[in-house]
Amino acid sequence: MSTMLPGDNIQPKEGPPGVPDWSSVHQSLGELAPPIKDKSEWPKYKLSQEHVDKFWRDGMLLNIPVLSEEQCDQILEDYKYFMDPSNRHPGHSMLYEFHNNQSGDPDNVLVHVLGHWRLTKLFHDLVFLPQVVVPSSQLIDENRREAPVRFWHDQLFAKPAKCGGNVAWHQDYSYWTRTKPMMHLTVHIALDDQTVENGALHYIPGSHRWTRNGNPLPVTDFNFKDMESIKTILTEEERAAFKPVCGNLKKGEASFHHPLAVHGSYGNRSSTKRRAAVLNYFADGVYSDTDEELLKGSTVPKGQKMEGQFYPLVYDPVWAT
């Protein structure tokens, strides 16, 4: 089966029989918002220099509006494929990872999904959203005012009401050293209002400068369960600077954070759900540092540039010139 997009000569590849694999389409489908038609439209999505300076000082930017409430509600309609076992998406096997509870503890449930951009048009278009990719170009490489950006992978984190689990303190690049050099960025989009009570994301300002011989801090819990385990490997100076700031993201707001920014979130004991969509990017030119799988079903030979079907170019500053 092939799926022709209205008014466009695009045919996504087929995943499982009869199911389109949207990762084969490297542009917006127009599901979330109309695609950019004129180069003059791109600059309006740029961050101010004040925002950029704040990012490099603190390691993160908070409360940046990227989606309307209506757009969030659209995306949440697709969330059902990952929350309801009786309503699995027919392309479920294309996911890179699926954890219906990564903690394994029924009293601390953490739903964690990777690869859903391949399954639905809305999650696909989120990857290419100008409100996300243009700022990412400004924040992804400290040595360039703007850089071409490629997609790395997406994530969903869902914390059910009353029993939502935590995500232990960590640096993202600790999990990504199979790609080099470190020119990565994470965008966390709140699909519900986030509060201290429902497990909002927290950050440690300045922790993006914390390294070990130029490398990220070691991973202390691959399943995110032990909230405070990172403190066992911090220096005295780092422990003194460990002062969490709550993002308090509103529905449709995003945080942009550096790959070494220490962040985490506590459990949800409130009566409201806490759902988020996460987008991870790297600068064009990052290469694979392994011959093993980078993501399920994806290999790039060691030393070769990260590109191809699963790592599309999402924005290049030359598009605005």
Side-chain angles (χ1 to χ4, degrees), residues 6-24:
D8 221 333
N9 186 27
I10 299 172
Q11 288 183 299
K13 293 181 180 179
E14 189 177 67
V19 181
D21 181 352
W22 294 109
S23 69
S24 59

Side-chain angles (χ1 to χ4, degrees), residues 7 104 255 278:
S255 59
V278 176

Side-chain angles (χ1 to χ4, degrees), residues 45-47 52 55-56 61 66 127 129-142 144-150 183-187 255-257 279-283 314-315 317:
Y45 298 106
K46 291 179 69 172
L47 296 169
V52 173
F55 175 86
W56 290 110
L61 273 180
V66 298
V127 169
L129 195 70
Q131 291 91 332
V132 169
V133 298
V134 174
S136 295
S137 172
Q138 298 174 268
L139 305 176
I140 210 159
D141 182 358
E142 194 168 10
R144 287 183 280 180
R145 291 179 62 87
E146 296 178 84
V149 178
R150 287 188 179 272
M183 291 187 291
H184 298 60
L185 184 76
T186 297
V187 185
S255 59
F256 291 73
H257 70 253
L279 303 168
N280 303 298
Y281 299 95
F282 51 71
V314 294
Y315 179 67

Side-chain angles (χ1 to χ4, degrees), residues 11 17 36 40 94 177 231:
Q11 288 183 299
I36 298 292
S40 64
M94 291 192 291
T177 53
K231 293 180 180 178

Side-chain angles (χ1 to χ4, degrees), residues 58-70:
D58 297 338
M60 79 284 190
L61 273 180
L62 304 177
N63 308 105
I64 304 298
V66 298
L67 292 174
S68 67
E69 289 206 11
E70 291 75 20

